[in-house]
DNA sequence: AACCAGGACGTGA
DNA sequence: TCACGTCATGGT
C-alpha cells in the first residue's frame, strides 16, 4: 500500500463511510437525546446551532474518549446549555463544569467553551478563518480543522495523532501535523470540490476508527488487514 | 491495576 | 523549534 490515497481507499473499503461529524438528535417522547452519524447522506449542518455544537464536541473530545463527550453533550443539551449565550452566562460557570465533568479537564474546557461561544457570536453567521480560530485559547490545529471541515465545509485534512501514527507505521517517515495535512490534501487534489471535502473528512474519520481498532499505541498487527502492505507490521 | 483517549498550552532548553 | 509536565474522567 504505497500511497496515502491507497491507504484511505483500503480503509474506506473495509469500514465504509463514517458519516462524521456526529450530532445530537432528539428521540422518543421528549428530553431524550442520542448521537447520530450520517453515512449515506452526507451534508453540512444546516442549522447554526449545529455548527456551534461541532465546535463544542471538538473541544470536549480533546485527549478524551468520545463516550464521555456524548454524556457531557447530552448533559448540556438537557440543561439547555448547548448554545453560545447559555455557555457565556457567567453565573452558570460552576453548573457547566459539572455538566461537562464526564469529558474530563472540566475546568479548562469550561473556559474553552466560553471562548468558542464568544467567538461564534462575533462571527454572526459568517465562516471563520483558520488563523482566527488558532489564536483562540483552547483551539489548536486539530480542533480548528475539525470545525472548518465538518461545520464549515473547508477541504482540509485533520492530521491528528492517529493519522500520523498510522501513516508513519504503514508508509514510514516522520510526519508533522502540517506536513501530513499538506501531503494528504495534495493526494486528493484531483477530486472535484464537493467530493474532495467529503473524502478528506472521511479520511480523518476512517483513520481514527482504524487507530482505535488496530493501530493502537500497542498495535494489534496480527489481526490487522493492512498487515501485508504495512512497513512496520510486527510479524 | 495501569494505561490511554478524536489536544492544547506554558515552560525551559 | 522541541521535549516535557499539566490538565481529569472513564473505559479496557
Amino acid at each position: 500500500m504505497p500511497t496515502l490515497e491507497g491507504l484511505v481507499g483500503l480503509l474506506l473499503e473495509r469500514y465504509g463511510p463514517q458519516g462524521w461529524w456526529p450530532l445530537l438528535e432528539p428521540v422518543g417522547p421528549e428530553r431524550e437525546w442520542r448521537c447520530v452519524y450520517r453515512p449515506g447522506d452526507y451534508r453540512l449542518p444546516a442549522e447554526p446551532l449545529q455548527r456551534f455544537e461541532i465546535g463544542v464536541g471538538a473541544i470536549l473530545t480533546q485527549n478524551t474518549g468520545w463516550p464521555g463527550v456524548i454524556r457531557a453533550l447530552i448533559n448540556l443539551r438537557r440543561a439547555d446549555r448547548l448554545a453560545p449565550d447559555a455557555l457565556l452566562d457567567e453565573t452558570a460557570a460552576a453548573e457547566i463544569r459539572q455538566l461537562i465533568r464526564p469529558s474530563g479537564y472540566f475546568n479548562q474546557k469550561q473556559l474553552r467553551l466560553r471562548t468558542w461561544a464568544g467567538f461564534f457570536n462575533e462571527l454572526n453567521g459568517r465562516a471563520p478563518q483558520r488563523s482566527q480560530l488558532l489564536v483562540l485559547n483552547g483551539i489548536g490545529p486539530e480542533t480548528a480543522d475539525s470545525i472548518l471541515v465538518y461545520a464549515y465545509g473547508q477541504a482540509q485534512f485533520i492530521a491528528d495523532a492517529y493519522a500520523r501514527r498510522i501513516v508513519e507505521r504503514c508508509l514510514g517517515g516522520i510526519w508533522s501535523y502540517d506536513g501530513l495535512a499538506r501531503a494528504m490534501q495534495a493526494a486528493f487534489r484531483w477530486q472535484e470540490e464537493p467530493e474532495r471535502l467529503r473524502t478528506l473528512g472521511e479520511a480523518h474519520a476512517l483513520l481514527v476508527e482504524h487507530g482505535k481498532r488496530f493501530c493502537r499505541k500497542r498495535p494489534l498487527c496480527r489481526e490487522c488487514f493492512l498487515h501485508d502492505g504495512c512497513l512496520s507490521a510486527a510479524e
Side-chain angles (χ1 to χ4, degrees), chain A residues 108-154:
Chain A
Q108 285 187 3
K109 284 175 177 176
Q110 182 264 324
L111 296 174
R112 292 176 181 185
L113 291 182
R114 197 162 58 99
T115 300
W116 165 237
F119 176 70
F120 186 85
N121 274 349
E122 288 178 18
L123 283 175
N124 208 20
R126 303 186 58 82
Q129 299 290 102
R130 189 172 197 264
S131 56
Q132 291 181 292
L133 291 167
L134 289 179
V135 297
L136 300 179
N137 194 297
I139 297 191
E142 180 175 348
T143 307
D145 288 338
S146 295
I147 292 170
L148 291 173
V149 170
Y150 297 110
Y152 292 96
Q154 282 198 30

Side-chain angles (χ1 to χ4, degrees), chain A residues 18 20 32 64 78 82 90 105 107 128 136 188 192 197:
Chain A
Q18 300 298 294
W20 279 29
E32 212 50 50
T64 299
R78 290 175 62 98
L82 193 49
E90 300 281 351
Y105 307 108
N107 291 308
L136 300 179
F188 290 98
E192 305 297 331
L197 167 65

Side-chain angles (χ1 to χ4, degrees), chain A residues 5-69:
Chain A
E5 188 184 340
L7 171 61
V8 172
L10 288 173
L11 294 174
L12 181 60
E13 186 181 319
R14 174 73 171 212
Y15 297 124
Q18 300 298 294
W20 279 29
W21 189 275
L23 289 168
L24 253 39
E25 274 193 6
V27 60
E30 194 69 43
R31 295 282 95 177
E32 212 50 50
W33 301 86
R34 63 173 177 178
C35 184
V36 173
Y37 295 78
R38 306 192 158 285
D41 67 271
Y42 173 81
R43 50 184 161 170
L44 287 173
E47 300 295 323
L49 272 180
Q50 293 183 315
R51 277 181 250 133
F52 180 71
E53 180 186 327
I54 289 172
V56 171
I59 288 169
L60 292 182
T61 198
Q62 289 168 359
N63 200 41
T64 299
W66 188 250
V69 176

